[in-house]
Amino acid sequence: MRRRTSLRFVAHIILLSAFVSLTACDEALVDLPAPVNGVQVIAIPGSEFVGQVRVPASLRVRVLDGEGRPVRSAAVKYDVLAGSGVFSADSTLTNDQGFTEVLFLPVTAGTVIVEARSELPAGTGSARFTILVFSDPNEAAVFEAVSGDGQTAPAGSVLPEPLVVRVQNPDGFPVDSHPVTFTVQRSAGEFAGVSADRSGFFAGQVTVDTDATGLARAFLLLGTEAGIHTVTASAAIGPAGSPTTETVTFTAQATPVEASLLVILSGDNQTAVIDTLHEEDSPDFRGREPNPLVVQALDPFGTPVAGVAVHWRVSDGGGRLVFAITFTDANGVTENVVEDVTEGRNAIVAFAAGTNAVEFVITGEVLEAPPPDEGGGGG
């Protein structure tokens, strides 16, 4: 479990130390020097200490008369001179040793000054407490994006930098172990996700706790297609019991990935008929040209890639290609036509930069002449 340094813990230790010091010095205070005139009100054990918003602080005083003796049943009244807070009572009475105390609950952070005053026939005395009040160290008050917005990377890859947010308390100190939820709101293609670990499991949503510096990080895996991706980071912000959900948004751009694969869609292993007996414009012409040769370009994720230049050439046999280069459409598809294939095996190769080469095989069959008429004439 992560260790945490808490201002709440520090404040409680200080208050506990004050109480222990007070208990140990009850008798010693009997021998304090007597005031020159009137009544003396003494802050116990000291007039300056650290407190925390919404955590009660014990303010203890001792009332002595003009000769330095404790005064019993002296009324002590309390007032806030700077800052704000509430007392458990407007006034209290001292005990046999001249001690009394009141609980003070700070309601705002900063410097708070409290006065304890006692009025007796012999005169008036007062003591002032100065309390440096900190907010709850675990109260999330500030939620903001730190870094990671506006990145660009190839589709299907993890962004080079994490998406980072920060949570701070009202005093500007980091809030440790505060949950932040990262959610993929928009993606292009498939498999987009977020993860607390670059090499971890990516899902549509992940919750990450802030660290000791108040930071929470998530990594984004882009979808398999080029386009805009958005991720939101959300956290509960505000006092315990009445928080609100605040959200920041990160945007990333997935760039197109180069084609890595050509696949044949149609046109392979077909037969063309070569009619050498009739002219093409003859009604008896029975030649048949090969069907179009069709390929598709895909990226490493199987996504069609548009605008890929596909090169074509005849690698075996004969034939004439209509185009030397064609370009894939929005579906990653392009085609070519071969004419005047020769008898037997004809091979056409298609390839593109960064991809494999594919081969189409077309068999050319020559139309045979009909056998001669053997039933004719004789003498």
Side-chain angles (χ1 to χ4, degrees):
M1 182 173 64
R2 181 185 294 130
R3 297 181 60 187
R4 179 190 307 181
T5 300
S6 171
L7 290 177
R8 185 195 300 272
F9 176 77
V10 173
H12 286 181
I13 288 296
I14 292 173
L15 294 177
L16 178 60
S17 300
F19 178 77
V20 172
S21 300
L22 173 62
T23 304
C25 68
D26 277 357
E27 294 303 323
L29 287 174
V30 174
D31 299 325
L32 285 173
V36 176
N37 295 303
V39 178
Q40 185 175 17
V41 180
I42 303 170
I44 305 298
S47 62
E48 297 183 1
F49 58 92
V50 174
Q52 184 178 305
V53 170
R54 290 185 291 277
V55 175
S58 177
L59 307 183
R60 199 169 194 191
V61 298
R62 194 179 198 193
V63 179
L64 303 176
D65 66 13
E67 298 180 3
R69 296 171 299 190
V71 180
R72 177 184 179 183
S73 298
V76 178
K77 298 181 180 180
Y78 305 94
D79 192 18
V80 179
L81 303 182
S84 59
V86 294
F87 298 101
S88 59
D90 293 334
S91 65
T92 59
L93 298 177
T94 58
N95 62 13
D96 292 344
Q97 296 296 315
F99 292 103
T100 188
E101 67 179 309
V102 70
L103 291 179
F104 176 68
L105 184 69
V107 296
T108 59
T111 300
V112 178
I113 299 176
V114 175
E115 182 179 64
R117 177 179 294 273
S118 181
E119 297 182 354
L120 297 173
T124 299
S126 65
R128 291 185 179 182
F129 296 86
T130 300
I131 311 170
L132 179 59
V133 181
F134 287 100
S135 302
D136 182 348
N138 300 317
E139 177 186 323
V142 177
F143 182 56
E144 60 186 357
V146 176
S147 62
D149 188 32
Q151 297 185 71
T152 299
S157 65
V158 177
L159 290 180
E161 300 296 332
L163 314 180
V164 185
V165 296
R166 175 166 45 221
V167 180
Q168 295 175 318
N169 79 345
D171 297 318
F173 293 106
V175 178
D176 189 8
S177 299
H178 194 77
V180 177
T181 300
F182 294 85
T183 305
V184 177
Q185 299 291 352
R186 176 184 177 185
S187 63
E190 299 180 313
F191 310 123
V194 283
S195 173
D197 189 335
R198 178 182 292 276
S199 59
F201 176 77
F202 287 84
Q205 185 178 88
V206 66
T207 298
V208 182
D209 287 344
T210 56
D211 60 18
T213 65
L215 300 179
R217 301 170 177 81
F219 294 88
L220 173 61
L221 171 65
L222 298 172
T224 56
E225 296 181 9
I228 296 293
H229 292 61
T230 58
V231 174
T232 56
S234 302
I237 303 299
S242 59
T244 59
T245 299
E246 291 191 11
T247 300
V248 297
T249 301
F250 295 89
T251 301
Q253 174 71 47
T255 57
V257 177
E258 298 295 332
S260 63
L261 179 68
L262 279 185
V263 294
I264 294 175
L265 297 185
S266 63
D268 188 26
N269 290 324
Q270 58 175 309
T271 300
V273 177
I274 304 171
D275 187 350
T276 60
L277 303 176
H278 308 90
E279 298 294 332
E280 287 191 23
D281 56 356
S282 168
D284 296 323
F285 181 77
R286 290 183 291 169
R288 184 177 68 245
E289 294 286 357
N291 294 322
L293 315 180
V294 185
V295 297
Q296 185 178 40
L298 304 174
D299 68 16
F301 311 105
T303 303
V305 182
V308 175
V310 178
H311 300 258
W312 304 80
R313 67 180 179 86
V314 177
S315 61
D316 191 20
R320 177 177 56 84
L321 287 162
V322 174
F323 304 104
I325 301 175
T326 61
F327 295 88
T328 58
D329 61 17
N331 296 314
V333 176
T334 187
E335 65 178 51
N336 207 343
V337 174
V338 61
E339 299 175 341
D340 302 330
V341 296
T342 59
E343 183 178 3
R345 185 179 187 275
N346 299 266
I348 293 87
V349 172
F351 60 94
T355 72
N356 57 304
V358 295
E359 183 182 67
F360 295 84
V361 175
I362 302 171
T363 302
E365 294 184 351
V366 176
L367 184 67
E368 296 183 358
D373 186 3
E374 299 179 354

